Amino acid sequence: MENKKEIKKYTLEETKKNVLKIFRAEGDLNYNLEKLGDILPKLLSGNKEEVKEAREISDTKVTEVMMALETDTHWGLMSSFRNEYRGMAKEFSDQLIKDYNCTTVAEKALVEIIANAFIRIIDNSRRLNDNLGDGGTTINENKTKYFTMLSLQIDRANRQFLNALVALKQFKAPTIEMNIKTNTAFISNNQQVNVNKDENIKAQ
């Protein structure tokens, strides 16, 4: 009878390490990068069938990777706007990152909030000005509600823009360290404190 090999049980730490290594959800960055590592060579150097198969898979995986790297690619931010604003979204974000020397994820996320608010100010202002400038448009109840909604959206985007910009500046402001040395004096009960020559105050 063949002897069964005893299988060693994992410790809690080993179990955690292997679970994180083996079981990864669809959309996980490292999972997608590994998949693209197999697919891209076929896409770039494969035969006709391999190229076709690789392209079908890579389109989805590349999008997921670009979304996962959002603070570097601005893919999600760009996708949330119409085509004419996408270049502005990326260029404005990249320039802010450069201007404020943003290095952390939090700082870059704030940059995207600022860019998002800025473009909404531009877009809603365009819509409002287009309608206000149309002299032939009849002003009715629905039109008035639309103007009010656009004005509120512009005000809201302005506040979000300024608040996020202030937050980013605070992130980047140098930390001021203060060392304060004090001399502590203890006064016992019923001790007299001389304020001046003519007046004595008895400590309570």
Side-chain angles (χ1 to χ4, degrees), residues 19-198:
V19 166
L20 293 176
K21 180 180 178 181
I22 299 169
F23 302 100
R24 285 175 289 181
E26 287 281 341
D28 176 82
L29 177 59
N30 289 332
Y31 174 84
N32 282 332
L33 289 173
E34 288 175 5
K35 286 287 185 184
L36 285 172
D38 294 332
I39 295 168
L40 290 180
K42 295 178 182 178
L43 183 64
L44 298 173
S45 307
N47 58 40
K48 191 175 181 179
E49 290 183 2
E50 288 175 329
V51 169
K52 182 180 178 182
E53 180 187 357
R55 180 172 286 114
E56 291 174 356
I57 300 173
S58 67
D59 286 347
T60 301
K61 296 303 176 189
V62 166
T63 298
E64 291 176 359
V65 167
M66 296 293 279
M67 288 289 286
L69 300 174
E70 173 64 23
T71 53
D72 292 318
T73 65
H74 313 303
W75 186 277
L77 176 66
M78 293 169 67
S79 301
S80 68
F81 291 108
R82 292 161 40 163
N83 288 343
E84 61 262 41
Y85 292 119
R86 290 178 182 177
M88 181 195 295
K90 186 174 190 310
E91 184 63 26
F92 191 73
S93 297
D94 286 341
Q95 191 60 51
L96 275 175
I97 289 171
K98 181 180 177 182
D99 289 348
Y100 287 92
N101 192 27
C102 298
T103 55
T104 68
V105 170
E107 291 167 357
K108 292 178 181 180
L110 271 174
V111 162
E112 290 208 342
I113 293 172
I114 295 168
N116 184 298
F118 177 71
I119 296 172
R120 284 189 290 112
I121 293 169
I122 298 294
D123 187 49
N124 284 308
S125 296
R126 176 188 61 79
R127 297 172 192 270
L128 182 61
N129 292 332
D130 284 349
N131 281 278
L132 290 175
D134 187 359
T137 301
T138 303
I139 302 298
N140 53 39
E141 185 177 355
N142 288 335
K143 206 74 171 177
T144 301
K145 288 179 179 178
Y146 181 58
F147 290 161
T148 301
M149 184 272 293
L150 287 175
S151 297
L152 290 173
Q153 289 300 320
I154 293 169
D155 288 341
R156 181 176 298 164
N158 266 309
R159 288 195 302 272
Q160 290 172 346
F161 175 85
L162 293 173
N163 289 339
L165 188 58
V166 168
L168 179 61
K169 288 181 176 181
Q170 288 174 343
F171 264 115
K172 302 306 295 182
T175 303
I176 300 175
E177 295 185 3
M178 298 181 65
N179 294 320
I180 301 174
K181 294 182 179 179
T182 61
N183 293 322
T184 305
F186 295 94
I187 302 175
S188 63
N189 287 339
N190 301 320
Q191 182 177 346
Q192 288 185 338
V193 179
N194 293 327
V195 177
N196 54 48
K197 291 182 179 179
D198 300 324

Side-chain angles (χ1 to χ4, degrees), residues 4-10:
K4 262 192 172 182
K5 184 180 178 181
E6 185 179 353
I7 300 176
K8 178 189 171 185
K9 290 185 178 180
Y10 288 144

